Amino acid sequence: MIVKYGGNAMKSLELRRAVAAEIAALRAHMPVVVVHGGGPVIERELAARGIASEFRRGLRVTSPEAMDVVEMALCQLNKQLAQDIGGAVGLMGRDCQLLRAETFDPELGRVGQITGVNADLLRTLLGAGITPVVGCVAVGPDGDALNINADTAAGAVAGALNKGIIFLTDVDGVYRNYPDPASRAKALSRAEGEEGISAGWIAGGMIPKVRAALDALDRGAPHATIASGMVAGVLEAAARGEAGTVITA
Ligand SMILES: Nc1ncnc2c1ncn2[C@@H]1O[C@H](COP(=O)(O)OP(=O)(O)O)[C@@H](O)[C@H]1O
Ligand SMILES: CC(=O)N[C@@H](CCC(=O)OP(=O)(O)O)C(=O)O
């Protein structure tokens, strides 16, 4: 199972440690690869250096200067998460070309789209009983770092390994009438997802998540679920198909 863990569900140390414990518990049932973001941590580090944040279509416009800060912030978080989970090794996309990417929109600067995943490295670690924890910075053709939305990176990893994926976030799925939690969709088809994005009831950070879930299915992942990282027990329930929103192709 691939678990994508986003910045909004790791806002406090307690929450981060609780999710790490859930991931460690899931690992007793199945091999797990963690792919993480860290939007709020990046935000804080950029602000501390007086670098303004700008997003286009949910992606951070990333100057070379901002890229250095993104990589530094995510590297530190990567090591903390691997330590919290235990039996884990923290990696970034530069390690053994784990995530390869190329730029695709000059307006976004050093933001990449994934062109390759070193799935053999992940399989080797899993085969040795080690949990890979992957930060969402990729290596570009020039050998420099590229910033990847963490949902996108996680979807590409799930596709490359042909494994299911759970996106843990700060809401318990996709709401048809956001922010009413009673409107959570138990399942959401591709057509409904596209309709929600164009009609605007799927917005903000939920757009790359739904897109990444569909992309993961396209790339060969058998299932994709969006669920809450804020509530104990949800990860294992989602792994059984009993929580969150299941995205269907
Ligand atoms: N239809 C919707 N259902 C649920 N959440 C939505 C919806 N539309 C927009 N959102 C927003 O998407 C957010 C989750 O995305 P994001 O903040 O990027 O999370 P993460 O940091 O976990 O990647 C929710 O907190 C919510 O504000
Ligand atoms: C290109 C782009 O937008 N990259 C993201 C990477 C981190 C991320 O996606 O973190 P969450 O999962 O916490 O949102 C960023 O710079 O914020």
Side-chain angles (χ1 to χ4, degrees):
M1 183 72 78
I2 313 306
V3 177
K4 189 270 168 167
Y5 183 26
N8 279 322
M10 52 170 101
K11 274 190 171 158
S12 70
L13 183 63
E14 293 71 30
L15 198 50
R16 207 184 74 208
R17 296 229 162 116
V19 174
E22 299 253 324
I23 291 169
L26 181 67
R27 197 174 43 186
H29 306 294
M30 63 191 82
V32 174
V33 176
V34 178
V35 181
H36 70 88
V41 178
I42 295 170
E43 210 67 36
R44 194 181 63 215
E45 295 300 328
L46 287 172
R49 290 161 180 79
I51 303 174
S53 281
E54 186 196 340
F55 283 84
R56 297 206 186 141
R57 296 174 302 282
L59 301 174
R60 186 187 305 280
V61 177
T62 308
S63 64
E65 189 191 16
M67 186 65 245
D68 282 346
V69 179
V70 169
E71 187 171 33
M72 187 203 64
L74 288 179
C75 276
Q76 186 180 46
L77 190 55
N78 180 261
K79 300 300 159 193
Q80 289 167 338
L81 285 176
Q83 187 182 355
D84 288 347
I85 294 165
V89 60
L91 299 163
M92 305 297 286
R94 287 191 201 242
D95 295 299
C96 289
Q97 304 243 321
L98 177 53
L99 300 175
R100 292 185 298 281
E102 59 189 16
T103 55
F104 63 100
D105 182 347
E107 279 194 349
L108 293 172
R110 296 209 60 80
V111 173
Q113 60 187 6
I114 299 285
T115 54
V117 175
N118 185 345
D120 284 343
L121 173 64
L122 297 174
R123 286 192 202 101
T124 300
L125 291 169
L126 291 170
I130 295 167
T131 300
V133 176
V134 181
C136 60
V137 171
V139 60
D142 53 5
D144 284 342
L146 290 174
N147 188 10
I148 314 289
N149 171 275
D151 296 320
T152 310
V157 169
L161 289 174
N162 299 117
K163 296 293 179 201
I165 179 163
I166 298 170
F167 296 86
L168 286 182
T169 185
D170 60 347
V171 286
D172 60 355
V174 181
Y175 301 163
R176 294 183 190 276
N177 184 21
Y178 181 78
D180 176 7
S183 70
R184 171 175 64 92
K186 284 193 173 169
L188 195 80
S189 69
R190 179 186 304 273
E192 289 173 308
E194 294 297 350
E195 194 271 325
I197 291 169
S198 57
W201 54 268
I202 294 175
M206 195 48 79
I207 298 176
K209 234 174 277 304
V210 170
R211 291 237 156 95
L214 290 168
D215 183 54
L217 297 173
D218 289 342
R219 289 176 187 243
H223 50 85
T225 300
I226 297 171
S228 174
M230 316 288 277
V231 184
V234 167
L235 182 57
E236 288 199 54
R240 294 192 303 269
E242 293 168 5
T245 297
V246 177
I247 309 294
T248 56

